[in-house]
Amino acid sequence: MSEIDQIIQITLTRQSTPVEVASFQIPGILATFTNFSERTRTYTDLNAVGVDFSTTDPVFKIARQLFGQSTVGAVPPSVVVGRRQVNTVNGSVTVQNSTPYTVTINGTTYSFTSDGTATAIEIIAGLDTAVGTSPVGVTFTDNLDGTFTVGPTVAGTPWSLRASSNITLVNAAPTESYADAELAMNQDNSTWYELTLDTHNQPDVIAVSAVIAAQRKIMGTSSQDPAVITTGETDIAAVLSSQNAGRIFGIYLPTADTEYPEAAWAGAQLPYTPGSNDWDFKRAAQGTTVSKLDDTARANLRTKNMNMYTRVGGLNIFQDGNMFDGTPIDQVIVEDYLYARLQEGIYFRLVNSLKIPLTLAA
């Protein structure tokens, strides 16, 4: 038996799915929007994200967390943003006199300027005329009540819609699930490794976690549900812990839905070479509000393998660095990394600081 065989035990199966080595530093975002028509788009910095998304958009908020941790860690080389299909968007306008209104459909902008006695019905009628039948495969409908509806002529067809700030767009309920959207995203571009959703809705998170588990990738989520810090058995942490979800990590934070702390943590830690860092006791540079937890809440979180962001010894830090099955996040990443290296036929040596027993299997 070689020296390396005495340190690490490796079991490979034909069903195991390798992960591209380069992808371990690249996070992904899956969100519901119509800002671009491609299934995925890759960004190398936050400014590029800001061209396509407003600062109040969940995609921008998540990307800002991913790209914004340079003072406490490294920066991901890129972020892959995936689109969940939306088939209907409802629109309304803020009525202003002598003001331009624009909608951009599939990259083409259509404009109408209101007169000195503007009404919503007049503005939307003007936009309807400006759009006409120009957008191939997309229908603009004036509802004749001061609102409008836009969507692809054939449901499921890729399309895009954006509007000026004086137009409010509201997505109708998508018919594509987050799980199906994740599969389509991964098929279009599989170079990402860790995923953040724009939602913390429990059924959606659980459904996507099952898909992630089959792809040898990981996912982060968070929750501000007060039940998470209790002994309750139906909250997201309790359910995922009971399922031994070993490829998803969670964070409790009272401001989780607006701050996406999972993205801040991932943004600071993913860029490191697997095996060179530990996710426990790490800080966030920006955008994450510390939780004030008593000993009972901490104990309940640890029982459910739910991480936390708290102040310890004068520092705000993430604890405890585990997946929902109790496995350290960095250990899972190392296992995937070593497996990918082996799949490439590259022989490697383990550094002295790596002393964890590993079993790699599907």
Side-chain angles (χ1 to χ4, degrees):
M1 179 180 291
S2 67
E3 181 178 354
I4 192 171
D5 289 332
Q6 298 178 42
I7 301 173
I8 178 172
Q9 296 179 343
I10 301 175
T11 302
L12 303 180
T13 72
R14 291 180 181 269
Q15 292 75 29
S16 296
T17 303
V19 179
E20 298 174 55
V21 174
S23 74
F24 285 93
Q25 296 181 326
I26 301 175
I29 302 171
L30 177 57
T32 305
F33 59 83
T34 62
N35 298 55
F36 57 73
S37 61
E38 308 98 297
R39 180 57 78 166
T40 65
R41 185 172 286 188
T42 300
Y43 300 91
T44 56
D45 57 51
L46 187 60
N47 289 334
V49 178
V51 172
D52 291 335
F53 298 90
S54 71
T55 57
T56 59
D57 193 288
V59 171
F60 186 89
K61 291 180 179 180
I62 296 170
R64 181 170 54 198
Q65 293 287 54
L66 290 168
F67 281 123
Q69 309 302 320
S70 60
T71 60
V72 295
V75 177
S78 62
V79 171
V80 177
V81 176
R83 175 183 59 81
R84 182 186 179 206
Q85 178 73 21
V86 175
N87 289 322
T88 304
V89 175
N90 299 309
S92 60
V93 299
T94 300
V95 178
Q96 296 173 309
N97 294 332
S98 306
T99 301
Y101 293 79
T102 65
V103 291
T104 302
I105 302 173
N106 289 344
T108 300
T109 298
Y110 305 91
S111 300
F112 172 77
T113 300
S114 62
D115 60 22
T117 57
T119 65
I121 290 177
E122 171 197 34
I123 293 167
I124 292 171
L127 283 172
D128 188 23
T129 299
V131 173
T133 59
S134 297
V136 177
V138 176
T139 302
F140 184 103
T141 302
D142 180 353
N143 297 324
L144 304 178
D145 61 358
T147 67
F148 63 89
T149 302
V150 189
T153 305
V154 178
T157 303
W159 70 298
S160 66
L161 171 68
R162 300 180 66 185
S164 52
S165 60
N166 50 11
I167 297 177
T168 299
L169 301 177
V170 178
N171 297 333
T175 56
E176 182 179 52
S177 70
Y178 274 94
D180 286 341
E182 193 279 345
L183 290 170
M185 173 186 177
N186 192 54
Q187 183 176 23
D188 187 73
N189 184 342
S190 63
T191 58
W192 56 275
Y193 176 64
E194 184 273 341
L195 185 67
T196 300
L197 302 180
D198 68 339
T199 182
H200 295 136
N201 181 51
Q202 183 165 325
D204 293 324
V205 172
I206 292 173
V208 176
S209 72
V211 175
I212 287 287
Q215 296 172 343
R216 210 173 197 103
K217 295 177 182 287
I218 64 173
M219 184 171 85
T221 191
S222 59
S223 177
Q224 61 185 44
D225 180 2
V228 171
I229 60 175
T230 72
T231 57
E233 298 179 352
T234 60
D235 59 85
I236 183 69
V239 172
L240 287 173
S241 180
S242 69
Q243 293 178 351
N244 289 316
R247 288 192 169 273
I248 178 171
F249 62 89
I251 305 164
Y252 170 75
L253 197 72
T255 52
D257 289 348
T258 57
E259 294 187 358
Y260 300 97
E262 65 270 36
W265 203 5
Q269 300 306 311
L270 282 178
Y272 289 101
T273 300
S276 68
N277 65 320
D278 186 333
W279 284 47
D280 196 9
F281 306 122
K282 295 301 188 299
R283 296 183 294 129
Q286 63 170 28
T288 304
T289 304
V290 68
S291 294
K292 296 180 180 179
L293 303 170
D294 59 26
D295 289 344
T296 299
R298 291 171 184 267
N300 290 335
L301 288 173
R302 289 188 166 117
T303 297
K304 299 176 182 180
N305 292 314
M306 188 71 158
N307 301 288
M308 63 198 85
Y309 190 66
T310 59
R311 190 166 184 81
V312 179
L315 293 176
N316 299 337
I317 57 173
F318 288 104
Q319 297 175 278
D320 295 298
N322 294 330
M323 298 293 190
F324 277 107
D325 68 346
T327 304
I329 301 170
D330 54 291
Q331 178 176 326
V332 174
I333 296 174
V334 168
E335 291 176 1
D336 288 344
Y337 177 73
L338 297 181
Y339 180 82
R341 294 294 298 268
L342 287 173
Q343 287 290 85
E344 289 184 341
I346 299 176
Y347 187 80
F348 58 90
R349 293 185 305 153
L350 294 177
V351 295
N352 291 335
S353 60
L354 182 60
K355 299 178 180 179
I356 54 176
L358 306 176
T359 299
L360 309 185

